[in-house]
Amino acid sequence: MIRKTFLTAATAVVLMALSSVARADAVIVGNSTGSLSTAAVSCTFNAQTNTFQFTITNTSPFDARITGIGFDLVAGDTTGNPNQSPGLGSFSGANVAGFTFRDGALGNVPQFNSAVLDFGFTTGNNGNFTNGFPNSGLATGHSLTFTVTGAAFNGMSEEEICQAIFVRFQRVGADGEGSDVGRAGPPEQPVPEPMTMILFGTGLAGIAARARRRRHKE
């Protein structure tokens, strides 16, 4: 009876552990240099208030900095239309990372069919997405949460807004002098964290042992 209770509890732990994975609504991989600058984004959107909040984490495997975050709300547009700007922005971490909210066109992104960015957050003096301060911005392993509210989000879904994000990385490459740009895309299937895999393996071993004992009794 004790063994049965233990195995049942172990199975429940395994099932709970399998549901414990890092959440990411979008992943970003820099495509300019092949150095694989990366970031993860989780998003929430309140359609009643047109408030979009996202948390971006720099997951690069080296000391890259995220120095620009831009939005192209209407894919394929050719001008930075002010009507696509949200009109209001606020975010956390300004004193740490040096970002400034820019409610207006930030330039285009040649690496992605010259996508035009309608608004965003930059660290450079001129507010252009292609410039930035390499010693500012979001360092590897750190996260920032941004909140933007505006009528430009009318009729859009959380997924559409989240995947309209473009990110500029600096301090890229072996010499730390390069830059990279990535666009948000849907994440792959979530990978369980190491502890989840340990629990999963332990639970499977217990279940297998129980099955063997049953066969021997029969």
Side-chain angles (χ1 to χ4, degrees), residues 8-216:
T8 301
T11 303
V13 169
V14 170
L15 292 175
M16 287 188 293
L18 285 174
S19 65
S20 175
V21 294
R23 175 177 180 250
D25 295 315
V27 293
I28 298 168
V29 179
N31 80 330
S32 302
T33 65
S35 297
L36 294 182
S37 310
T38 57
V41 183
S42 60
C43 307
T44 58
F45 179 54
N46 185 326
Q48 278 68 47
T49 62
N50 278 325
T51 298
F52 178 70
Q53 183 176 83
F54 67 100
T55 298
I56 184 166
T57 303
N58 187 343
T59 56
S60 299
F62 50 89
D63 187 27
R65 296 292 176 94
I66 293 175
T67 59
I69 304 168
F71 286 74
D72 179 20
L73 292 184
V74 181
D77 62 339
T78 57
T79 61
N81 185 348
N83 294 329
Q84 293 163 13
S85 300
L88 175 66
S90 62
F91 59 98
S92 63
N95 294 331
V96 176
F99 284 101
T100 299
F101 177 71
R102 309 285 182 177
D103 185 11
L106 302 182
N108 61 12
V109 187
Q111 297 90 340
F112 290 92
N113 297 319
S114 293
V116 176
L117 303 182
D118 306 310
F119 68 94
F121 304 85
T122 66
T123 58
N125 284 330
N126 65 0
N128 194 301
F129 179 77
T130 59
N131 294 308
F133 295 141
N135 293 325
S136 297
L138 185 61
T140 298
H142 291 254
S143 301
L144 275 177
T145 297
F146 299 77
T147 303
V148 186
T149 301
F153 297 137
N154 275 335
M156 298 189 72
S157 69
E158 179 180 292
E159 182 180 12
E160 287 172 332
I161 304 170
C162 196
Q163 293 187 16
I165 298 174
F166 290 76
V167 168
R168 175 176 168 80
F169 300 89
Q170 292 186 255
R171 294 172 60 158
V172 173
D175 58 2
E177 299 294 328
S179 63
D180 226 349
V181 177
R183 179 178 183 175
E188 300 295 330
Q189 291 297 318
V191 177
E193 297 169 355
M195 183 55 68
T196 298
M197 295 306 297
I198 292 171
L199 290 171
F200 180 56
T202 303
L204 286 181
I207 293 169
R210 184 181 181 186
R212 283 196 298 270
R213 283 196 296 272
R214 280 185 174 178
R215 283 197 299 270
H216 289 319

